[in-house]
Amino acid sequence: MTVTQALISFALVAGLVTITPGLDTAMVLRSALRGGRRAGLLTTLGVNAGVLCWGLAAALGISALLAASTTAYDMLRYAGAAYLVWLGSRMLLAAARPRGRAHRLGPLDPSEPGVGVTVAPPTPWACFRAGLVTNLLNPKVGAFYVALLPQFLPEGTHPAAMGALLALVHNVEGLLFLGLVTLTADAFRRRLTRPSVARRIDVTTGAVLVGFGVKLALTPR
């Protein structure tokens, strides 16, 4: 397999994984709907920074060590599960509050129109951090790279350099797809940010995050 063939093959596989709805998509979608285009794009950058970190770690062998250590893997898995359940629970609790009260939803809480209360929009770092932390605390992303990257390393190439290049390909695909999700959500934002609809978004996203957290905690590698 040549380098070009490896890049094309990996791009096809990683592309299918990228467009499969999951936790990252849910985070970016909610961020864009509640905070606008900038919030969505910043969360997208955070998610893809995490993806790039995992890819580089796998290329350097760090993720392989994590995959080999049950204790380390489980510690990261439980930490990620706790974070997702905590974040999702805050969204569910905020959605249950009376309409006339301001509600904070952590790093992704913008001002909510129509309730008579203005809440400061999220900072750029808060949006970026939400995507980054969510991705980095998901050890299954690292396991994905450990399982996948070795199959696309042509003979004679430097494993770390080629692995980093493959991770960059996946990162570009993620930026394009999640960027499209952000722009699409922003186009419908005016219709979807009414208080009743916003609450439904919070309930749905919160339930998804809690579900992912519980599944991550209960599912062994």
Side-chain angles (χ1 to χ4, degrees), residues 158-180:
H158 191 282
M162 187 64 192
L165 182 59
L166 293 174
L168 185 60
V169 169
H170 189 196
N171 203 260
V172 170
E173 290 179 332
L175 286 171
L176 292 175
F177 174 71
L178 293 178
L180 179 61

Side-chain angles (χ1 to χ4, degrees), residues 8 76 220:
I8 294 175
L76 184 60

Side-chain angles (χ1 to χ4, degrees), residues 81 84-85 209-219:
L84 293 178
V85 171
L209 293 181
V210 171
F212 269 108
V214 172
K215 181 179 179 181
L216 184 60
L218 298 179
T219 305

